[in-house]
Amino acid sequence: MRLLATSLIALACAGTSLGAFAQGAGVKAMNGILTDSKGMTVYTFDKDAANSGKSACNGPCAKLWPPVMPMGTPAAPYSSITREDGSAQLAYEGKPLYLYEKDQKPGDRDGDNFKDVWHVVKQ
């Protein structure tokens, strides 16, 4: 009985750490992918250069692929970049993060491999 209780506590703790939000980022790993606070899938764009501090998706592109905004001050491996319009955008390992407008509910991944340049962030 004691072994069962210990195992259950260990499983509960492991589940909590996997689903916890990244410090200051407002994103979390869920089912092996990165999601925002609402459970919506997060993407990267191949045309963004890692660690450039810039997003290549602006104007009409940003309407279809809204940038993920940081919550607070992100801690590594997350960071924040300044977009063309002066707003902040969350980055993971130096790559700006986006949502996809056509994803309708948590768990949707309709933007994955879109035009072979948009990709789900896997954890």
Side-chain angles (χ1 to χ4, degrees):
M1 188 59 130
R2 183 190 248 163
L3 179 60
L4 177 61
T6 304
S7 297
L8 289 173
I9 290 170
L11 283 172
C13 290
T16 301
S17 65
L18 290 175
F21 283 95
Q23 182 179 346
V27 293
K28 64 182 177 178
M30 182 181 268
N31 298 323
I33 65 163
L34 206 59
T35 66
D36 74 356
S37 61
K38 296 176 185 171
M40 301 303 287
T41 303
V42 173
Y43 301 89
T44 57
F45 185 35
D46 285 349
K47 294 184 180 180
D48 286 331
N51 300 310
S52 70
K54 296 179 182 181
S55 168
C57 179
N58 295 288
C61 177
K63 290 185 192 280
L64 187 58
W65 298 93
V68 175
M69 302 300 172
M71 298 177 94
T73 304
Y78 299 94
S79 58
S80 182
I81 66 161
T82 302
R83 297 183 50 76
E84 261 184 13
D85 65 5
S87 64
Q89 181 173 3
L90 186 64
Y92 175 70
E93 295 182 347
K95 295 273 290 189
L97 299 177
Y98 305 86
L99 301 173
Y100 183 46
E101 182 183 71
K102 294 187 179 182
D103 284 348
Q104 296 298 303
K105 63 186 182 315
D108 283 355
R109 298 179 186 183
D110 295 333
D112 195 23
N113 295 315
F114 184 80
K115 295 190 177 184
D116 295 322
V117 294
W118 292 96
H119 308 285
V120 167
V121 180
K122 296 179 181 170
Q123 295 261 283

